[in-house]
Amino acid sequence: MRFTRLMTKTMRTDPAEAETPSHRYMLRTGMVFQVAAGVYAYLPLAWRSLRKIEGIIREEMDAAGGQEIRMPALQPIELWDESGRSKTFGKALFTLKDRRERGMVLAPTHEEVISQLAKTYIQSYRDLPVIPYQIQTKFRDEPRSRAGLIRVREFDMKDAYSLDADEDGLESSYRAMAQAYRNIYERCGLPALMAEADSGAIGGKDSHEFILPTPTGEDTVITCDGCDYAANLERATGVKPPLAPEAPLPMEEVSTPGVKTIAALSDFLRAPESKTLKAVFYDADGETVFVTIRGDLEVNEVKLSNHLKAAALRLATEEEVSRAGLVAGSASPVGLEGIRRVADDSILSGANFVVGANKPGAHLLNANYPRDFEVDEVLDIAMAAAGQECPGCGGTLKSVRGIEVGHIFKLGTFYSETMGVQYLDREGRRRPVIMGCYGIGVGRLLAAAIEQNHDDKGIRFPVPIAPYHVHLVGLNLTDPDVATAAEDLYRRLWNAGVECLYDDRPEETAGVKFNDADLLGLPLRVVVSRRALANGSVEARRRGDKAATLLPLADVEQDVKGLLFT
RNA sequence: CGGGGCGUGGCGCAGUGGGAGCGCGCAUGGUUUGGGACCAUGAGGCCGUGAGUUCAAACCUCACCGCCCCGACCA
């Protein structure tokens, strides 16, 4: 491709709205064009890169036993009523009506259609296992799109579905997919880590996310410095800092005028926060729930929500709190009745806690469970935190931000059962198909690759996903000899299988061309100039290298390939 | 949906009642040509939309729309 023909324009200044590096550079290079919030057009450079990523994904999915299919994005809403997800997916589901006023959806994912397909084509254990997959456009009316291609409302996703006869089969499909994912990230230049995850709206039990660590990410992952434990903060468990054992003391009331927060209470009584119990009030699908946890810990709302099986969990409003008879600032489980009480198991970790007295301006010292209060459930609902001990190996937990570049789920029989996907086993018995599903956002992967591979001058594309291999820069192009040599090299490189973008602009200065080359970030820059030609050479520099090397023109193709592919 | 911010040529911005501007980019001519050159000339804007206030609105008021950022959700 010639630069003068490329339908792209580079920008010298950062667009005001772009804050994350990948977003900034994708706009400045002219890779993407924004049409609406979270809706983008892909221009030639981005599209070439995306197609390369798709190619890598296809190769790895096929190698892992997948078979590519294609399902429609436009689907009848009845299908979603059947699985129940027209409700549970909520407002993120794009819905519309056709001319006959029938409800339709623009699909955000394809478990429903796969289930329909499976009902027809999977009849016997002999038909299993299969792993159909597709790369196709998804629609999700996200509450908020952000950071360029990181989070958008229309995006291409590779979604795969494993159909197995039993749990062992699922296990083996899941492992094969996980390995395929690791291969994909490695080939895209991404050191992604595999973390235990919450399965969210898709449903199911076990799931893992692949996270690319980067400060601009929107997820937090807890990792261990002593072992390979990694889990999304939503699900991670840390060892709660232990308290020194004490003999229980008699409970007594103290006056704490105006003290409403744990920090103020700790300060007022000169007691560590870990010796207090805090109270938090939630609304779970309309029911007010009382939650208590040790003062130095935070409630993990995902864990709580999963336990309560709540579709919508949020903090209760002041009005709901007072209607439930709770005293914000001085609430505790002591004497509390007529409301669901959930406690974090940290209440078992010590004795003589400071708790609210359930009346304004007063707290109780030396509250002990179960001597002084009752709760309905005790379980781990605490947020893990950096610095805590790893539950597996005793190492120290760390916290990293990252971008979720893939998510795999063991769905089990949820869709098989709700949608009636069954097969006949060897004994002629009907059994539900065991399903898994596996997603990678293609555009997000590109954005993540740029987040991971850039510097202050621009992108640094890894070779396998670069739109072109070589950025051929012609200097002194008004000199016919140089122009001819550059044209000749351009042809030779393509003939040798090296994908080449040729900056053939005759008037631009060297500085402009070099800066554009750095910005676009193709892996190898080759400069044809009067100066280098005088030595019978061209100049080559890998993006990111400091020094250039002279390559003799005689067998420049081999040298270029050597620099690119070894 | 809650909180914050912003809508003025392609991009970045100034302009806060009375002539729509600057830089970059773009076009033409000329001089340049190894890290974002210089000179000259020129094109390009119902100042997000609609109502209102006013003799007069990019500017003040109200409403709406759009976009960005922070939070609740996800590939």
Side-chain angles (χ1 to χ4, degrees):
Chain A
M1 174 56 72
R2 289 162 191 277
F3 204 98
T4 51
R5 300 266 54 82
L6 189 64
M7 188 172 151
T8 283
K9 196 160 283 287
T10 57
M11 295 180 202
R12 293 195 183 196
T13 47
D14 287 333
E17 77 266 20
E19 297 195 353
T20 20
S22 66
H23 190 199
R24 221 167 45 227
Y25 286 137
M26 278 191 279
L27 287 171
R28 278 191 57 189
T29 53
M31 285 203 283
V32 298
F33 174 84
Q34 184 176 13
V35 175
V39 181
Y40 286 86
Y42 307 113
L43 294 169
L45 293 171
W47 190 240
R48 280 185 70 91
S49 189
L50 289 168
R51 282 171 55 192
K52 289 195 174 183
I53 293 170
E54 289 181 4
I56 291 169
I57 292 173
R58 285 197 174 92
E59 284 176 24
E60 295 296 337
M61 293 307 292
D62 291 345
Q67 46 191 316
E68 188 168 1
I69 63 170
R70 175 75 167 197
M71 293 178 274
L74 187 64
Q75 302 176 1
I77 199 162
E78 283 79 5
L79 212 45
W80 290 74
D81 290 338
E82 195 178 336
S83 70
R85 288 208 296 180
S86 45
K87 293 236 160 39
T88 56
F89 223 93
K91 287 182 157 180
L93 191 65
F94 270 110
T95 57
L96 64 155
K97 302 241 179 186
D98 71 9
R99 67 203 301 158
R100 294 184 199 91
E101 293 292 305
R102 287 182 178 255
M104 310 288 286
V105 313
L106 291 173
T109 168
H110 281 68
E111 283 79 8
E112 281 76 4
V113 173
I114 273 289
S115 298
Q116 277 224 314
L117 277 172
K119 269 158 87 167
T120 303
Y121 296 106
I122 306 298
Q123 292 168 355
S124 151
Y125 71 94
R126 295 176 204 271
D127 299 325
L128 296 169
V130 285
I131 306 181
Y133 75 93
Q134 63 174 348
I135 297 174
Q136 188 251 14
T137 307
K138 304 288 185 260
F139 299 88
R140 294 185 186 178
D141 199 355
E142 295 287 344
R144 182 161 85 90
S145 44
R146 65 174 286 271
L149 293 194
I150 298 289
R151 185 176 203 73
V152 291
R153 297 191 297 167
E154 175 183 322
F155 61 102
D156 290 345
M157 178 165 97
K158 186 285 299 172
D159 46 323
Y161 304 87
S162 64
L163 308 174
D164 280 282
D166 53 31
E167 291 291 337
D168 286 351
L170 171 60
E171 200 55 47
S172 121
S173 296
Y174 195 78
R175 269 202 300 271
M177 287 294 110
Q179 187 54 50
Y181 272 44
R182 287 195 198 93
N183 298 344
I184 290 164
Y185 299 124
E186 193 183 329
R187 290 178 65 183
C188 292
L190 295 174
L193 47 95
M194 181 167 159
E196 295 174 17
D198 182 72
S199 50
I202 308 278
K205 23 183 191 167
D206 267 4
S207 94
H208 288 85
E209 285 171 343
F210 291 84
I211 302 280
L212 175 75
T214 160
T216 52
E218 39 184 10
D219 280 86
T220 304
V221 179
I222 299 293
T223 60
C224 173
D225 65 1
C227 65
D228 59 2
Y229 179 73
N232 192 301
L233 180 60
E234 294 174 349
R235 165 184 243 267
T237 323
V239 174
K240 290 155 194 172
L243 299 177
E246 315 176 8
L249 300 170
M251 196 158 68
E252 65 178 282
E253 185 176 318
V254 286
S255 171
T256 53
V259 174
K260 292 197 165 179
T261 65
I262 288 295
L265 182 65
S266 164
D267 205 46
F268 185 81
L269 296 174
R270 268 169 279 201
E273 293 189 354
S274 58
K275 289 298 300 294
T276 67
L277 295 186
K278 75 170 115 181
V280 195
F281 323 115
Y282 287 95
D283 178 279
D285 299 336
E287 181 191 4
T288 305
V289 177
F290 174 91
V291 174
T292 190
I293 187 169
R294 222 170 69 185
D296 59 326
L297 301 172
E298 298 297 325
V299 174
N300 181 325
E301 296 184 3
V302 173
K303 289 182 183 177
L304 178 62
S305 172
N306 286 343
H307 171 69
L308 297 173
K309 296 188 174 31
L313 181 77
R314 56 169 174 78
L315 286 172
T317 61
E318 268 179 49
E319 194 202 333
E320 287 161 348
V321 170
S322 55
R323 199 186 316 138
L326 299 164
V327 185
S330 286
S332 84
V334 177
L336 192 65
E337 281 176 7
I339 186 169
R340 185 164 179 183
R341 299 155 300 185
V342 181
D344 181 66
D345 57 15
S346 55
I347 66 166
L348 307 173
S349 66
N352 304 326
F353 288 108
V354 180
V355 303
N358 288 322
K359 55 185 179 186
H363 282 78
L364 301 167
L365 304 181
N366 306 325
N368 288 280
Y369 176 82
R371 185 191 71 181
D372 302 321
F373 61 91
E374 289 175 50
V375 293
D376 300 297
E377 295 123 303
V378 181
L379 71 156
D380 170 40
I381 48 166
M383 202 83 92
Q388 290 180 353
E389 209 175 276
C390 169
C393 76
T396 305
L397 295 182
K398 292 191 152 64
S399 164
V400 285
R401 294 279 284 183
I403 300 170
E404 182 189 357
V405 289
H407 202 157
I408 61 179
F409 302 81
K410 290 181 188 168
L411 295 174
T413 57
F414 177 79
Y415 293 95
S416 318
E417 277 166 10
T418 53
M419 311 210 44
V421 188
Q422 298 176 325
Y423 70 98
L424 288 181
D425 72 7
R426 253 171 240 274
E427 281 79 42
R429 285 177 304 220
R430 292 212 156 275
R431 291 190 176 280
V433 166
I434 316 290
M435 291 176 58
C437 75
Y438 313 88
I440 291 184
V442 182
R444 181 127 113 193
L445 200 55
L446 172 60
I450 294 171
E451 289 295 326
Q452 179 69 22
N453 300 284
H454 72 271
D455 58 24
D456 59 350
K457 309 209 80 169
I459 303 169
R460 296 171 61 168
F461 271 113
V463 172
I465 64 168
Y468 296 92
H469 298 133
V470 166
H471 196 124
L472 178 63
V473 176
L475 298 183
N476 324 114
L477 287 178
T478 46
D479 178 336
D481 291 342
V482 181
T484 307
E487 291 284 340
D488 187 48
L489 182 56
Y490 177 52
R491 268 190 296 276
R492 280 172 66 185
L493 287 173
W494 271 104
N495 288 339
V498 176
E499 299 167 11
C500 187
L501 176 67
Y502 171 33
D503 189 343
D504 58 338
R505 291 175 291 180
E507 303 292 341
E508 291 299 347
T509 60
V512 170
K513 293 189 172 194
F514 290 154
N515 280 302
D516 275 343
D518 288 340
L519 181 64
L520 297 188
L522 300 183
L524 188 68
R525 188 184 84 189
V526 174
V527 179
V528 180
S529 67
R530 204 180 279 137
R531 195 162 89 185
L533 283 178
N535 296 318
S537 302
V538 294
E539 203 178 278
R541 192 176 82 176
R542 277 186 293 216
R543 178 73 173 86
D545 282 359
K546 285 200 183 71
T549 51
L550 282 181
L551 307 181
L553 270 172
D555 49 11
V556 65
E557 295 96 329
Q558 287 319 306
D559 290 340
V560 163
K561 284 186 174 179
L563 285 167
L564 280 169
F565 303 123
T566 55

